[in-house]
Amino acid sequence: MPSEPDLVEQIVRLLDVRLLDPLEILLDGDDSVAAMRDVVRSRARRWAGVLRDGDDRAATHTAIRLVATLYPGDRAFDPPLEWWRTPLGQVVAMRVGHPAAESVSLATAGAMLGISRQGVHDLVRRGKLPRHPDGGVPSAAVRDRLRAAEQRKRDDL
């Protein structure tokens, strides 16, 4: 699980670039945008806390709201593989799985798990990850594997 400060910084940076910077341009540098930056940082800390430590329902709701806001589009959310290695990608994978797909390709599952596509193929072949009837692997199975690994880390502490 990514650290809370890293997660907060990514959320703040994304909201800055995608929402606040364009708003600042449109409003000709109005002081209200600076106040919004303070609100965003405060809320980002709250969202990061919910994503990391909140109950499943709250974490899922927060993740989906952030993804929908930060990555709007006419098509289903389909981030590049590298996104899953970011703090937000890691926490979304662990708490929600893929927010827009019931099954994911072996390459996406590998990115979510932090292993190679071949590593996922080996897990499927050994029965450690199920195959999805439509191909790939179930997003929920990837999420569950990540959660189990995180729980083992916590138990070892």
Side-chain angles (χ1 to χ4, degrees):
M1 170 111 33
S3 73
E4 190 163 328
D6 289 346
L7 183 55
V8 169
E9 285 310 309
Q10 183 185 7
I11 293 169
V12 167
R13 197 171 48 254
L14 286 167
L15 286 167
D16 238 11
V17 168
R18 298 187 190 269
L19 299 175
L20 297 176
D21 288 350
L23 189 59
E24 188 170 45
I25 291 166
L26 286 172
L27 298 178
D28 292 323
D30 192 286
D31 291 340
S32 61
V33 178
M36 286 304 302
R37 289 185 199 285
D38 293 336
V39 170
V40 163
R41 179 159 295 280
S42 172
R43 294 287 172 95
R45 281 192 290 273
R46 197 175 319 156
W47 295 325
V50 169
L51 288 169
R52 285 178 43 86
D53 303 314
D55 65 59
D56 285 344
R57 186 169 185 256
T60 298
H61 181 72
T62 299
I64 290 171
R65 282 180 51 215
L66 283 169
V67 165
T69 300
L70 293 169
Y71 305 100
D74 294 335
R75 293 179 290 162
F77 179 64
D78 187 24
L81 296 180
E82 308 84 54
W83 183 83
W84 295 105
R85 302 242 198 285
T86 69
L88 184 57
Q90 290 173 4
V91 78
V92 167
M94 185 176 301
R95 296 307 305 266
V96 179
H98 193 298
E102 187 176 315
S103 70
V104 295
S105 69
L106 298 183
T108 298
M112 292 168 77
L113 291 165
I115 62 176
S116 69
R117 180 188 179 284
Q118 182 61 44
V120 174
H121 178 73
D122 291 344
L123 290 171
V124 170
R125 188 177 44 77
R126 293 183 317 184
K128 304 287 184 175
L129 268 179
R131 270 247 185 242
H132 191 276
D134 296 336
V137 297
S139 173
V142 174
R143 179 202 62 216
D144 294 346
R145 187 166 182 82
L146 288 167
R147 286 181 178 186
E150 183 66 21
Q151 188 58 51
R152 282 191 300 274
K153 282 183 193 175
R154 289 179 184 185
D155 290 347
D156 289 345
L157 294 178

